[in-house]
Amino acid sequence: MRQFKNTGEQTLKVPLPNNTTHSLREITDPLPLTKIQKMLSKNTVTFPGKVGEYLENHFKDESFYQLTQAHTHRYLLNGPKNIELTLDQTDYLDETRDYELEIETDRLKDAKETMEFLKETFNLTSTIPQKNKVARAFDHRSLN
């Protein structure tokens, strides 16, 4: 679930068939804030819409429960050459915090030039995360 200032959504990330690049397809349903707050207060999650349809078709007899969570503050920035930059600050259950900067474009040449500009201007090093945010949330969950 993602909760924004005035609205929310529920997203399920599904591996693509014959996936060789670790890409995921996102299935997303809008959720009103009142629905999210009700689920959180009751510690119960329901799956309406397309997310629910997918789960029903692929995991009909399964039960679901929360294993971990993360809280992300996302900042969208307009970078050089009008490229969208996404800066995420994520807090995990064990009070660990990490940061990610992503360049959002399909223009590879511009992305490379933007990365070089950012590295030089802000003395950054770039690494490709070894784990996605969900895997990192599992690494940082409290096991009390």
Side-chain angles (χ1 to χ4, degrees), residues 79-132:
K81 299 188 179 204
N82 208 28
I83 288 181
E84 182 178 291
L85 303 175
T86 303
L87 178 61
D88 286 350
Q89 171 190 305
T90 303
D91 296 301
Y92 301 98
L93 291 173
D94 67 357
E95 299 183 5
T96 301
R97 174 177 286 167
D98 67 23
Y99 299 89
E100 276 184 299
L101 175 65
E102 297 177 0
I103 297 172
E104 303 286 346
T105 184
D106 56 2
R107 302 184 324 257
L108 186 57
K109 181 177 181 277
D110 289 345
K112 286 180 179 181
E113 290 174 5
T114 298
M115 177 57 76
E116 285 307 310
F117 170 80
L118 293 170
K119 285 167 64 174
E120 290 173 16
T121 304
F122 300 103
N123 195 27
L124 299 176
T125 57
S126 63
T127 59
I128 298 173
Q130 298 299 308
K131 295 182 178 180
N132 66 33

Side-chain angles (χ1 to χ4, degrees), residues 20 34 48-49 51 60 76 92 117 119-120 144:
T20 58
T34 53
V51 170
K60 185 178 178 106
L76 300 177
Y92 301 98
F117 170 80
K119 285 167 64 174
E120 290 173 16
N144 295 339

Side-chain angles (χ1 to χ4, degrees), residues 2-103:
R2 293 179 176 145
Q3 187 173 348
F4 307 111
K5 185 176 181 180
N6 297 314
T7 187
E9 65 185 23
Q10 190 172 54
T11 300
L12 180 65
K13 296 184 179 190
V14 179
L16 295 171
N18 303 319
N19 184 2
T20 58
T21 61
H22 305 290
S23 295
L24 300 171
R25 175 174 66 108
E26 290 190 359
I27 302 170
T28 301
D29 292 314
L31 289 177
L33 288 181
T34 53
K35 176 90 170 164
I36 291 174
Q37 291 162 353
K38 183 176 179 182
M39 284 192 279
L40 291 174
S41 71
K42 294 186 175 193
N43 202 24
T44 312
V45 178
T46 58
F47 304 102
K50 293 177 184 177
V51 170
E53 289 173 21
Y54 183 91
L55 293 172
E56 180 69 22
N57 288 333
H58 293 86
F59 302 97
K60 185 178 178 106
D61 297 324
E62 299 294 328
S63 297
F64 297 96
Y65 52 94
Q66 180 177 329
L67 295 172
T68 190
Q69 69 183 43
H71 186 240
T72 299
H73 293 278
R74 174 164 286 172
Y75 306 92
L76 300 177
L77 308 167
N78 190 24
K81 299 188 179 204
N82 208 28
I83 288 181
E84 182 178 291
L85 303 175
T86 303
L87 178 61
D88 286 350
Q89 171 190 305
T90 303
D91 296 301
Y92 301 98
L93 291 173
D94 67 357
E95 299 183 5
T96 301
R97 174 177 286 167
D98 67 23
Y99 299 89
E100 276 184 299
L101 175 65
E102 297 177 0
I103 297 172

